[in-house]
Amino acid sequence: VQLQASGGGLVQAGGSLRLSCAASGRTFSSYVMGWFRQAPGKEREFVATIDRSGGVTYYGDFVKGRFTISRDNAKNTVYLQMNSLKPEDTAVYYCAADITTAVVTTRPSRYDYWGQGTQVTVSS
């Protein structure tokens, strides 16, 4: 499984970005997908996860209604819509795939494959 994240960039505080993560393989619809982020000097942090069908989502506490994870199984792609961005959202954002279980999870260790990351920078 290969994951290719894109959509990062520089945005002013209060702005929006939509991240995309394209996955290889013909069984994307069987993967639980997640987004994580890592800021310099900090540990990787859970952002959001979505189940196979897209019917179940879960977010990190800091999201507070600002982000939305979604997926298009026909396009083998998962998205992260980020609104009301804050400078503290600045980080490298990674998408990840859990190909072994059907339950959403916040634990990085449960994910089997990771994308290369896309930089999000929010200026104040």
Side-chain angles (χ1 to χ4, degrees):
V1 176
Q2 292 186 325
L3 303 175
Q4 181 71 41
S6 61
L10 174 64
V11 64
Q12 289 188 333
S16 298
L17 282 174
R18 188 175 83 152
L19 306 183
S20 299
C21 176
S24 65
R26 292 180 289 180
T27 57
F28 176 75
S29 60
S30 68
Y31 309 159
V32 170
M33 299 297 297
W35 285 97
F36 292 79
R37 70 183 187 182
Q38 189 165 20
K42 295 187 176 181
E43 293 187 353
R44 191 164 294 192
E45 180 179 33
F46 166 74
V47 178
T49 182
I50 188 166
D51 76 342
R52 296 170 172 178
S53 68
V56 176
T57 59
Y58 189 73
Y59 298 91
D61 290 341
F62 68 90
V63 170
K64 297 183 180 179
R66 300 182 297 129
F67 298 176
T68 302
I69 188 171
S70 62
R71 67 191 296 160
D72 186 336
N73 287 341
K75 295 182 178 180
N76 282 14
T77 301
V78 63
Y79 304 97
L80 184 69
Q81 177 67 43
M82 303 187 295
N83 299 325
S84 301
L85 283 161
K86 306 174 182 180
E88 51 264 44
D89 293 318
T90 295
V92 177
Y93 283 71
Y94 298 90
C95 59
D98 173 0
I99 68 169
T100 57
T101 65
V103 181
V104 296
T105 179
T106 66
R107 300 180 183 177
S109 61
R110 290 277 300 276
Y111 289 84
D112 305 292
Y113 294 93
W114 292 80
Q116 85 289 0
T118 184
Q119 176 71 47
V120 171
T121 303
V122 184
S123 63
S124 58

